[in-house]
Amino acid sequence: MTDVPCPPELPCPPDPEGLRPATLAVRGGQRRSAFQETSEALYLTQGFVYGTAAEAADTFAENIERYSYSRYSNPTTRTFEERLALLDGAEDALATSTGMAAVFTAVAALVRSGSRIVAARELFGSTLTIFDDVMAGWGVHTDYVTGVDLEQWQTALATPADVVFLETPSNPMQDVLDLRAIAELAHEAGAIVVVDNVFATPILQQPLSMGADLVVYSATKHIDGQGRTMGGAILGSKKLIGGRIRTMYRMTGPTLSPFNAWVLIKGLETLPLRIRAQSAAALDLAQWLEQQPGVASVRYPFLDSHPQRELAGRQMSAGGSVVTVTFESEGDGRETGPSGRSRDVERTFAFLDGLRVIDLSTNLGDAKTLVTHPATTTHMRVPAEQREAMGVMDTTVRLSVGLEDVEDLREDLARALEARRG
Ligand SMILES: *Cc1c(COP(=O)(O)O)cnc(C)c1O
């Protein structure tokens, strides 16, 4: 896993063999400098100097491995990559400036004009734009399937494909897709399977162990988890990461800044703790919300009412931090109210505006509990019919549960439910 040899005079990173995730999250990939600092060092440097002209020549000829330029690699960024790779059970990783840089770099490196992508329809909006606009313009065709429908995958993958792309659980309706079954079909079709694992995080789900070839993250979400920096990562085998993906990465420059890498290293230290706590609070609130008057349905992977509850239990070790709630639409829901919006939207806005602790924000995975109305924000450009076919109604809200006292969150939600009833 190390790309730079550990100099004999310095402490090496701990041998990760046999260490558990909580330990790896705190210690994985750390290489102390000669100062023997406790915390990970922050190497804010663009470049690196050579002792001799021959060393520079040997570096460029790739006769020796060492740091040369931070667009390629940097010791702080490398610690983040190694720590995340250990948590994911990946051989290698590349850290990117944002989640979208990870999605784009991975996919762009795997396709050529004439390539074919098969993707689940339930994807992050910007990913859909990359496929439908950018990739389409380059002669790369994408066929979409309904992610939970294995028959659709089977039909689509009866024809050879280059890339299969999916998210599970999906945003915002939390469909749980069968990773093992889809990966098997994809491999028969000759495709490389890329999984956006943002919702589950490496703590709850390890797609590489279930047949995925690459995992991508927005580290902006749970990995930072405290609203500070953007970031992302691509993970997989040494062979896949070290081939076209590494060339694309090094030459086009989606690199993560060392400063942000350092923030994310510190984020990883508390990731297992945060995810467990946020998942426990999310399940508690999901079960409680299901019982509240005016709530039509609650989507959460570990709720007994979830249509893929059994699959979620096999693929994930907890349900994650996001709860999706759909309120009842009352008879005249589509009629326009005093604000010019539909009555359904007005009543849902009354709920959102009735919250005092929970913030309105389209982000997720944060220590602060956040709520968003997908129909008028993240999914406003999806035509209403298509949106509703996905289950995203005018009365649907997505709650990202944070680290506050769960009783304060419950009281806040109860207050907002009352405001919604008017
Ligand atoms: C946020 C998000 C992304 C994009 O990440 P950025 O860091 O905002 O670029 C991609 N996929 C999913 C599922 C996300 O939630």
Side-chain angles (χ1 to χ4, degrees):
M1 268 273 321
T2 55
D3 72 341
V4 172
C6 187
E9 68 275 16
L10 296 179
C12 295
D15 179 0
E17 193 60 40
L19 295 178
R20 294 168 178 80
T23 310
L24 296 171
V26 174
R27 295 185 172 272
Q30 181 174 18
R31 251 185 217 85
R32 291 197 164 108
S33 80
F35 295 115
Q36 304 255 36
E37 61 282 349
T38 306
S39 177
E40 296 71 9
L42 169 50
Y43 294 95
L44 273 184
T45 181
Q46 298 166 341
F48 302 83
V49 298
Y50 304 94
T52 62
E55 194 186 349
D58 279 338
T59 303
F60 276 73
E62 296 190 15
N63 294 333
I64 54 170
E65 265 194 293
R66 49 155 287 165
Y67 293 106
S68 60
Y69 192 46
S70 284
R71 167 152 43 83
Y72 294 177
S73 198
N74 168 287
T76 307
T77 309
R78 190 63 196 154
T79 293
F80 171 64
E81 291 171 344
E82 290 193 12
R83 189 168 291 185
L84 186 59
L86 288 168
L87 289 174
D88 262 281
E91 284 176 7
D92 208 352
L94 287 169
T96 57
S97 55
T98 65
M100 287 321 300
V103 170
F104 178 74
T105 303
V107 175
L110 298 175
V111 297
R112 292 280 184 273
S113 177
S115 291
R116 175 170 180 256
I117 300 171
V118 177
R121 198 172 277 114
E122 304 78 18
L123 291 182
F124 190 69
S126 305
T127 305
L128 290 172
T129 305
I130 287 181
F131 292 168
D132 295 341
D133 197 337
V134 183
M135 295 290 161
W138 293 348
V140 175
H141 180 76
T142 304
D143 285 316
Y144 291 103
V145 300
T146 301
V148 293
D149 187 341
L150 276 180
E151 268 174 39
Q152 288 191 28
W153 284 106
Q154 219 155 12
T155 307
L157 292 169
T159 311
D162 300 282
V163 174
V164 159
F165 195 102
L166 62 98
E167 287 172 28
T168 179
S170 70
N171 175 35
M173 293 319 293
Q174 316 230 42
D175 293 329
V176 176
L177 279 58
D178 191 332
L179 283 168
R180 286 185 183 86
I182 296 165
E184 197 170 311
L185 291 168
H187 290 151
E188 279 166 22
I192 289 175
V193 180
V194 187
V195 175
D196 181 332
N197 201 35
V198 164
F199 267 51
T201 81
I203 305 306
L204 303 183
Q205 173 173 280
Q206 303 194 322
L208 297 172
S209 73
M210 292 183 267
D213 301 297
L214 291 170
V215 164
V216 291
Y217 286 107
S218 165
T220 314
K221 310 294 164 55
H222 307 81
I223 293 175
D224 175 28
Q226 290 151 86
R228 301 165 297 188
T229 66
M230 309 288 295
I234 311 166
L235 298 102
S237 66
K238 259 193 190 313
K239 182 159 176 272
L240 258 183
I241 297 285
R244 268 149 66 180
I245 294 174
R246 193 162 95 138
T247 305
M248 176 71 73
Y249 177 93
R250 291 189 160 200
M251 298 307 123
T252 64
T255 315
L256 181 66
S257 101
F259 182 83
N260 289 355
W262 183 83
V263 173
L264 296 172
I265 286 167
K266 299 321 252 180
L268 283 179
E269 290 189 347
T270 57
L271 183 67
L273 267 180
R274 287 186 283 111
I275 295 302
R276 295 285 165 206
Q278 285 170 264
S279 292
L283 177 61
D284 179 342
L285 293 175
Q287 286 168 337
W288 176 80
L289 280 162
E290 250 186 342
Q291 308 303 321
Q292 301 312 302
V295 171
S297 66
V298 178
R299 270 299 192 98
Y300 184 72
F302 271 43
L303 271 185
D304 290 338
S305 58
H306 191 287
Q308 295 97 36
R309 169 67 183 91
E310 191 266 333
L311 177 63
R314 272 190 282 135
Q315 292 189 166
M316 303 167 72
S317 57
S321 64
V322 180
V323 179
T324 308
V325 184
T326 299
F327 300 119
E328 277 165 6
S329 168
E330 283 133 61
D332 58 352
R334 283 176 189 275
E335 235 170 66
T336 307
S339 70
R341 302 180 196 278
S342 76
R343 287 292 294 148
D344 274 348
V345 171
E346 278 189 349
R347 275 195 290 261
T348 308
F349 278 14
F351 167 84
L352 296 168
D353 295 338
L355 293 161
R356 199 180 76 198
V357 176
I358 298 170
D359 289 310
L360 295 183
S361 173
T362 52
N363 205 354
L364 63 92
D366 203 89
K368 293 180 172 60
T369 299
L370 306 173
V371 69
T372 187
H373 184 239
T376 53
T377 60
T378 54
H379 287 64
M380 71 164 283
R381 284 193 178 78
V382 184
E385 234 170 79
Q386 201 181 321
R387 187 160 49 70
E388 289 177 11
M390 285 166 67
V392 183
M393 305 306 198
D394 281 351
T395 55
T396 301
V397 298
R398 188 193 70 192
L399 189 66
S400 167
V401 178
L403 289 171
E404 302 93 337
D405 191 306
V406 72
E407 296 314 324
D408 286 331
L409 297 176
R410 202 188 319 273
E411 283 171 24
D412 205 31
L413 291 166
R415 183 166 38 235
L417 286 168
E418 215 166 289
R420 180 187 164 274
R421 286 192 287 270

